mmCIF file of all heavy atoms in Angstrom:
data_model
loop_
_atom_site.group_PDB
_atom_site.id
_atom_site.type_symbol
_atom_site.label_atom_id
_atom_site.label_comp_id
_atom_site.label_asym_id
_atom_site.label_seq_id
_atom_site.Cartn_x
_atom_site.Cartn_y
_atom_site.Cartn_z
ATOM 1 N N MET H 440 6.187 -15.987 -22.147
ATOM 2 C CA MET H 440 5.335 -16.398 -20.999
ATOM 3 C C MET H 440 3.954 -15.666 -21.200
ATOM 4 O O MET H 440 3.928 -14.337 -21.004
ATOM 5 C CB MET H 440 6.003 -16.010 -19.689
ATOM 6 C CG MET H 440 5.267 -16.357 -18.481
ATOM 7 S SD MET H 440 6.532 -16.006 -17.152
ATOM 8 C CE MET H 440 5.295 -15.499 -15.941
ATOM 9 N N HIS H 443 -2.222 -16.870 -17.763
ATOM 10 C CA HIS H 443 -3.096 -18.011 -17.620
ATOM 11 C C HIS H 443 -4.573 -17.635 -17.648
ATOM 12 O O HIS H 443 -4.936 -16.570 -17.133
ATOM 13 C CB HIS H 443 -2.799 -18.828 -16.402
ATOM 14 C CG HIS H 443 -1.422 -19.379 -16.381
ATOM 15 N ND1 HIS H 443 -0.227 -18.758 -15.984
ATOM 16 C CD2 HIS H 443 -0.989 -20.692 -16.627
ATOM 17 C CE1 HIS H 443 0.764 -19.491 -16.110
ATOM 18 N NE2 HIS H 443 0.283 -20.749 -16.381
ATOM 19 N N THR H 454 -3.246 7.302 -9.884
ATOM 20 C CA THR H 454 -3.258 8.456 -9.065
ATOM 21 C C THR H 454 -2.354 9.508 -9.674
ATOM 22 O O THR H 454 -1.279 9.194 -10.253
ATOM 23 C CB THR H 454 -2.732 8.238 -7.654
ATOM 24 O OG1 THR H 454 -1.454 7.520 -7.623
ATOM 25 C CG2 THR H 454 -3.716 7.286 -6.948
ATOM 26 N N GLY H 455 -2.701 10.670 -9.730
ATOM 27 C CA GLY H 455 -1.889 11.818 -10.367
ATOM 28 C C GLY H 455 -2.117 11.784 -11.825
ATOM 29 O O GLY H 455 -2.680 11.046 -12.438
ATOM 30 N N ASP H 459 -5.943 10.889 -13.339
ATOM 31 C CA ASP H 459 -6.105 10.746 -11.788
ATOM 32 C C ASP H 459 -7.472 10.268 -11.443
ATOM 33 O O ASP H 459 -8.434 10.677 -11.882
ATOM 34 C CB ASP H 459 -5.895 12.117 -11.113
ATOM 35 C CG ASP H 459 -5.889 12.034 -9.722
ATOM 36 O OD1 ASP H 459 -5.236 11.104 -9.102
ATOM 37 O OD2 ASP H 459 -6.476 12.860 -9.088
ATOM 38 N N VAL H 466 -4.944 -7.716 -15.058
ATOM 39 C CA VAL H 466 -4.608 -9.113 -14.871
ATOM 40 C C VAL H 466 -3.108 -9.220 -14.748
ATOM 41 O O VAL H 466 -2.300 -8.576 -15.430
ATOM 42 C CB VAL H 466 -5.028 -9.923 -16.088
ATOM 43 C CG1 VAL H 466 -4.567 -11.371 -16.014
ATOM 44 C CG2 VAL H 466 -6.477 -10.013 -16.213
ATOM 45 N N GLY H 467 -2.731 -9.891 -13.657
ATOM 46 C CA GLY H 467 -1.247 -10.231 -13.484
ATOM 47 C C GLY H 467 -0.426 -9.068 -12.947
ATOM 48 O O GLY H 467 0.824 -9.201 -12.910
ATOM 49 N N PRO H 469 0.533 -5.816 -13.580
ATOM 50 C CA PRO H 469 1.532 -5.314 -14.476
ATOM 51 C C PRO H 469 2.294 -4.232 -13.577
ATOM 52 O O PRO H 469 1.716 -3.532 -12.849
ATOM 53 C CB PRO H 469 0.951 -4.757 -15.707
ATOM 54 C CG PRO H 469 -0.542 -4.660 -15.138
ATOM 55 C CD PRO H 469 -0.823 -5.589 -14.199
ATOM 56 N N SER H 470 3.628 -4.136 -13.774
ATOM 57 C CA SER H 470 4.394 -3.052 -13.086
ATOM 58 C C SER H 470 4.140 -1.662 -13.701
ATOM 59 O O SER H 470 4.316 -0.637 -13.050
ATOM 60 C CB SER H 470 5.876 -3.388 -13.113
ATOM 61 O OG SER H 470 6.293 -3.578 -14.409
ATOM 62 N N ARG H 496 3.104 3.896 -12.915
ATOM 63 C CA ARG H 496 4.029 2.634 -12.296
ATOM 64 C C ARG H 496 3.254 2.168 -11.123
ATOM 65 O O ARG H 496 2.744 2.924 -10.267
ATOM 66 C CB ARG H 496 5.427 3.135 -12.081
ATOM 67 C CG ARG H 496 6.019 3.447 -13.287
ATOM 68 C CD ARG H 496 7.530 3.747 -13.027
ATOM 69 N NE ARG H 496 8.224 4.168 -14.261
ATOM 70 C CZ ARG H 496 8.641 3.454 -15.276
ATOM 71 N NH1 ARG H 496 8.413 2.131 -15.200
ATOM 72 N NH2 ARG H 496 9.184 3.859 -16.346
ATOM 73 N N ASP H 511 3.997 8.741 -13.669
ATOM 74 C CA ASP H 511 5.413 8.987 -13.837
ATOM 75 C C ASP H 511 5.572 10.021 -14.847
ATOM 76 O O ASP H 511 5.782 9.729 -16.108
ATOM 77 C CB ASP H 511 6.105 7.617 -14.253
ATOM 78 C CG ASP H 511 7.535 7.686 -14.290
ATOM 79 O OD1 ASP H 511 8.091 8.938 -14.312
ATOM 80 O OD2 ASP H 511 8.216 6.658 -14.385
ATOM 81 N N SER H 514 8.716 9.662 -17.387
ATOM 82 C CA SER H 514 8.724 8.821 -18.545
ATOM 83 C C SER H 514 8.297 9.450 -19.844
ATOM 84 O O SER H 514 7.463 10.278 -19.783
ATOM 85 C CB SER H 514 7.774 7.704 -18.235
ATOM 86 O OG SER H 514 8.340 6.928 -17.217
#
Side-chain angles (χ1 to χ4, degrees):
M440 180 172 149
H443 294 80
T454 60
D459 185 46
V466 173
S470 59
R496 297 187 184 278
D511 183 347
S514 290

